[in-house]
Amino acid sequence: MSGSMMQRPLLISDLIRHAATCHADTEIVSRETDGALTATTWAEVEDQSRRLLAGLRALGLGEGDRVATLAWNNHRHLKIWFGVSGGGMVCHTLNPRLAPQQFIFIVNDAADRAIFFDKTFMPLIVGTKEHLGSIEHFIFMGSRDEEVLAALPEALFFDDLVRSEPAEWPVLEETAPCSLCYTSGTTGNPKGVLYTNRSTLLHTFSIALPDALDLSAREVILPVVPMFHASAWGVPYAAAMVGARLVMPGPALDGDSLLALIDDQKVTLALGVPTIWMMLLAAAEASGSKMESLRRNVIGGSAAPPSMIATFRERYDCETIHAWGMTETSPLGTANQIKGKHLNLDADALALLRLGQGRPPFGIELRIVDEDGAALPHDGQAQGALQVRGHWVVARYFGKEESALSPDGWFDTGDVASIDADGYMTIRDRTKDIIKSGGEWISSVDLENIAVEHPGIALAAAIGARHPKWDERPVIVAVRAEGHDPDEEEIRALYEGRVARWQIPDAVIFTDAIELSATGKVLKNRLREQFGDVLLERGV
Ligand code: ADP
């Protein structure tokens, strides 16, 4: 027997249709690549995305075709997202910070047929074009531009395509793919995750909930996290679902530019990785801005240092939602929101609870397992490999036949975590970054959090350096903050009484810069190559 309710597929086009119907005049403010600020509305985004869809169809593109973007967070990118995915094509967000070889690999692996690009990325396109064999259409995100035509005579222009008569949204299967994103691939080649309309819609409902990101039509949302980084954590879709005002930062991701956007546009919620917040906090400190409109920020992608969460709370009255996820999980897996029973906790206990990565929303299940795959208790103590399953978790990678899951259907995240009886998860480390000293594990995250508490440290990374007796010993690699000159012993002293004696780093190495990955994370393998022998060199 089946029920007797309407059976309507869950589609990306539903999101933008809803936004255009119920939030027609709500604004999307966007920083253009040339620095200008423009404003559009949800109604206009819908209209232009249907025109764009018609324009793409006229080029011969159809359902299932991959259409790539090489773009900042801006209004044209938003229109491409809805036009391409709503029209049954696959929107493939490319990360422009990848090395050209990886970029070429990804475009070919995805067999992208068209590519949209912002002006910033024209040199990358021109420089790699001869290797991008599958691309038939290069589409510049702007109006006709002689400079672009001189470098790329075959270029088409976004602003011409959206002059087409608007197409009607097609009715698709909800399991049809809508977008494609590759993992950062710090080891090996990147792998593609192909999201479906259904998985994306369910993820969108979920992230908007009060115990996740708590989104509504009353928010002004600034996604600093790029649309090419795990779909800007799903925020553009969710903003359409709830009818929020969006502020798209374009290429200007430095602290001063973000601060100006937050203050001028009265942003209430901003989202990004920890390195972004370091720059923003430094800019706010220098300018004296209190970021009064900013009530909440979401930190994810890497562990949010407790000192950063405390600064936002104490100096800016801004509540941090610490969230965890990965490309393979669409990406939201957990968010740190309290329960009713925590309302009476004192400030210190509450602050402690908010440090971890939080608990999964409905739709995501977590477990931790030991080296033999046996489930470990959720007691807040046991640490094991974090595995996940749910409605928006990858099953297999793009173009691969084999499953990405364990035989019993769980996805291994590559993270080491503990989970408590209330479902709160704390990431202890990435499996490959945890420091193994004399058979014991030391969390690099814990060590980094302590180092960055020092005002003289701008960025710190803990790695395991080779040691003749203990295999590995912890070493901190740190970048000094401008105008500060902390020394090694001063930093090592921070650890006294905070961690067990054997966990105190053996050395602190100062360096001018720490290389970050394409998604703004510390490249630990690079640091291990550079500094892995430092203890042996020091003759321990
Ligand atoms: P991204 O697109 O963010 O690089 P990846 O899928 O490459 O996505 O990275 C996901 C990984 O990032 C997770 O497995 C985890 O190691 C790390 N990560 C994400 N959020 C957090 C967090 N809040 N705390 C600690 N680590 C995190």
Side-chain angles (χ1 to χ4, degrees):
M1 193 170 76
S2 52
S4 50
M5 306 307 283
M6 286 189 192
Q7 180 75 35
R8 295 179 56 78
L10 295 165
L11 298 178
I12 300 290
S13 54
D14 296 343
L15 293 172
I16 191 64
R17 282 195 308 110
H18 170 78
T21 310
C22 299
H23 305 280
D25 63 353
T26 299
E27 268 187 344
I28 289 116
V29 174
S30 173
R31 168 99 55 208
E32 303 284 314
T33 305
D34 66 6
L37 270 191
T38 59
T40 179
T41 61
W42 282 116
E44 201 176 71
V45 171
E46 199 252 2
D47 178 68
Q48 295 227 331
S49 42
R50 285 198 292 127
R51 291 175 188 274
L52 183 66
L53 170 58
L56 291 173
R57 282 183 179 160
L59 294 177
L61 296 165
E63 286 179 20
D65 282 339
R66 268 80 69 202
V67 175
T69 61
L70 196 53
W72 300 115
N73 291 7
N74 58 37
H75 70 96
R76 288 192 183 84
H77 203 176
L78 198 62
K79 292 165 187 169
I80 297 166
W81 269 32
F82 287 110
V84 168
S85 301
M89 300 166 200
V90 175
C91 182
H92 176 197
T93 46
L94 288 162
N95 187 334
R97 297 178 186 142
L98 291 174
Q101 283 73 12
Q102 277 194 331
F103 171 74
I104 292 167
F105 167 84
I106 292 177
V107 171
N108 284 294
D109 192 60
D112 296 320
R113 288 191 62 195
I115 187 166
F116 285 93
F117 61 99
D118 269 325
K119 197 156 201 173
T120 320
F121 308 118
M122 207 169 65
L124 180 57
I125 296 274
V126 172
T128 55
K129 199 183 85 177
E130 62 180 298
H131 304 289
L132 309 179
S134 61
I135 305 267
E136 297 158 48
H137 310 290
F138 293 90
I139 309 167
F140 174 71
M141 290 166 69
S143 55
R144 206 183 147 80
D145 183 308
E146 294 308 322
E147 201 185 323
V148 173
L149 280 172
L152 200 66
E154 67 269 55
L156 301 173
F157 296 92
F158 179 102
D159 292 6
D160 292 340
L161 287 186
V162 293
R163 288 205 190 95
S164 316
E165 280 303 302
E168 291 303 315
W169 293 119
V171 179
L172 308 165
E173 300 278 339
E174 64 179 16
T175 49
C178 60
S179 55
L180 176 63
C181 183
Y182 278 68
T183 59
S184 328
T186 36
T187 51
N189 268 330
K191 296 185 286 270
V193 181
L194 185 63
Y195 309 101
T196 66
N197 278 262
R198 175 189 161 81
S199 70
T200 304
L201 266 275
L202 293 174
H203 178 259
T204 308
F205 277 116
S206 175
I207 69 172
L209 286 171
D211 271 6
L213 308 187
D214 191 12
L215 306 181
S216 77
R218 294 167 296 287
E219 300 287 349
V220 182
I221 307 177
L222 172 69
V224 182
V225 53
M227 291 163 82
F228 57 75
H229 180 189
S231 311
W233 302 345
V235 166
Y237 299 123
M241 178 178 272
V242 303
R245 185 163 187 267
L246 263 185
V247 179
M248 306 298 259
L253 303 178
D254 60 287
D256 288 333
S257 303
L258 293 175
L259 185 65
L261 268 189
I262 289 171
D263 285 339
D264 296 347
Q265 301 299 325
K266 310 246 176 310
V267 168
T268 58
L269 171 68
L271 306 94
V273 296
T275 39
I276 287 289
W277 303 122
M278 296 249 183
M279 295 190 294
L280 178 73
L281 287 173
E285 179 77 7
S287 80
S289 163
K290 286 282 160 228
M291 298 191 279
E292 265 162 33
S293 60
L294 193 70
R295 286 185 284 117
R296 294 177 299 137
N297 68 338
V298 179
I299 307 186
S302 302
S307 51
M308 181 181 283
I309 298 179
T311 305
F312 271 108
R313 187 179 52 238
E314 287 157 17
R315 266 195 241 157
Y316 298 97
D317 197 18
C318 171
E319 177 199 344
T320 294
I321 305 168
H322 192 189
W324 166 88
M326 50 199 313
T327 305
E328 288 90 335
T329 64
S330 292
L332 190 87
T334 62
N336 195 325
Q337 296 276 12
I338 61 168
K339 298 183 177 183
K341 70 177 185 181
H342 301 132
L343 287 170
N344 295 327
L345 283 181
D346 64 51
D348 288 349
L350 199 56
L352 196 63
L353 179 77
R354 302 299 305 270
L355 295 183
Q357 281 75 3
R359 54 197 164 83
F362 167 76
I364 287 285
E365 291 174 77
L366 300 179
R367 72 175 186 184
I368 42 175
V369 299
D370 67 14
E371 277 157 19
D372 303 320
L376 292 166
H378 292 189
D379 58 7
Q381 297 300 318
Q383 297 186 20
L386 179 67
Q387 299 191 334
V388 59
R389 71 176 177 193
H391 301 296
W392 48 89
V393 177
V394 70
R396 65 196 148 75
Y397 289 102
F398 178 72
K400 301 273 186 279
E401 289 298 322
E402 64 276 17
S403 165
L405 310 181
S406 65
D408 59 350
W410 290 74
F411 177 77
D412 193 280
T413 63
D415 289 326
V416 176
S418 55
I419 302 174
D420 76 11
D422 287 322
Y424 286 79
M425 185 273 286
T426 301
I427 297 280
R428 303 292 170 181
D429 226 321
R430 292 195 106 154
T431 316
K432 53 186 188 301
D433 293 338
I434 206 151
I435 300 160
K436 298 185 179 107
S437 176
E440 297 289 340
W441 286 6
I442 305 173
S443 156
S444 65
V445 178
D446 289 351
L447 300 184
E448 288 155 9
N449 285 342
I450 292 175
V452 297
E453 279 174 17
H454 193 286
I457 298 291
L459 186 60
I463 58 164
R466 276 173 282 282
H467 190 278
K469 181 165 177 202
W470 305 110
D471 291 338
E472 278 182 7
R473 288 292 302 150
V475 163
I476 300 287
V477 182
V479 179
R480 290 187 175 100
E482 237 178 83
H484 293 262
D485 194 22
D487 68 17
E488 172 158 11
E489 281 322 305
E490 201 177 331
I491 302 303
R492 286 189 71 233
L494 295 173
Y495 292 89
E496 297 289 344
R498 301 282 300 279
V499 298
R501 285 210 70 82
W502 58 274
Q503 297 179 329
I504 297 178
D506 282 9
V508 179
I509 315 288
F510 293 100
T511 179
D512 290 341
I514 289 179
E515 212 181 324
L516 301 179
S517 77
T519 49
K521 303 178 195 194
V522 170
L523 281 172
K524 291 260 177 102
N525 45 356
R526 209 59 63 77
L527 290 181
R528 282 190 288 262
E529 282 162 25
Q530 260 180 295
F531 300 107
D533 285 335
V534 65
L535 296 176
L536 302 179
E537 285 157 12
R538 283 188 177 186
V540 291

